[in-house]
């Protein structure tokens, strides 16, 4: 499914901004269907593991996600392992999920699609 989120930019989020409701999360999940909402330290986090054929390609992908995060001013947890990168998005200031997290998940997927053309995917 084509996403509209990749065309959006993150907006500044202040402490106390409303978190997404369960209904809002459900409405956005169809745009990033391979991402899961998991609980980490009592808060919802949007998370996905991306497979790679080796550490070098995984590391390169992690770097590209980091560059995106800097450009947007919104930063994930990125765990790079041999053959896999796990990316977790949530909004630190509100201790939960915001539309920004779904925007960044969609943009992370777009980077992965570009990277997948340069390497053999292992799933």
């Amino acid at each position: 499914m084509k996403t509209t989120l990749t065309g959006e930019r993150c907006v500044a989020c202040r402490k106390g901004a409303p978190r997404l409701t369960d209904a809002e999360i459900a409405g956005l999940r169809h745009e990033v269907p391979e991402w899961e909402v998991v609980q980490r330290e009592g808060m919802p986090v949007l998370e996905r593991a991306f497979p790679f054929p080796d550490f070098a390609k995984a590391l390169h992908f992690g770097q590209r996600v980091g560059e995106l995060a800097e450009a947007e001013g919104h930063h994930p947890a990125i765990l790079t392992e041999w053959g896999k990168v796990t990316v977790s998005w949530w909004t630190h200031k509100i201790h939960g999920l915001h539309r920004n997290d779904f925007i960044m998940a969609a943009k992370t997927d777009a980077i992965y699609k570009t990277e997948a053309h340069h390497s053999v995917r292992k799933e």
Side-chain angles (χ1 to χ4, degrees):
M1 168 170 280
K2 186 172 176 151
T3 179
T4 59
L5 292 172
T6 55
E8 296 183 37
R9 291 196 51 89
C10 284
V11 296
C13 189
R14 286 186 243 179
K15 190 172 186 164
R19 297 178 192 140
L20 291 175
T21 65
D22 290 342
E24 290 168 326
I25 290 169
L28 289 168
R29 293 241 13 242
H30 75 278
E31 295 207 45
V32 289
E34 295 182 68
W35 290 77
E36 295 181 52
V37 176
V38 298
Q39 291 292 316
R40 298 276 183 251
E41 297 179 19
M43 79 181 128
V45 173
L46 201 53
E47 188 170 279
R48 180 176 175 196
F50 297 86
F52 289 91
D54 57 42
F55 186 76
K57 287 179 178 62
L59 190 60
H60 178 73
F61 173 74
Q63 178 66 34
R64 299 248 349 256
V65 173
E67 291 166 359
L68 167 68
E70 276 296 294
E72 294 280 348
H74 191 51
H75 303 90
I78 305 170
L79 174 60
T80 305
E81 304 174 79
W82 191 97
K84 178 170 77 168
V85 175
T86 303
V87 180
S88 303
W89 291 104
W90 74 99
T91 301
H92 303 79
K93 287 182 180 177
I94 63 171
H95 302 287
L97 293 175
H98 186 275
R99 185 174 183 87
N100 290 343
D101 302 306
F102 286 85
I103 292 168
M104 296 304 284
K107 290 183 178 194
T108 303
D109 283 347
I111 291 171
Y112 183 67
K113 286 177 186 159
T114 301
E115 295 295 312
H117 290 295
H118 299 290
S119 64
V120 176
R121 286 176 61 182
K122 180 176 97 178
E123 294 189 66

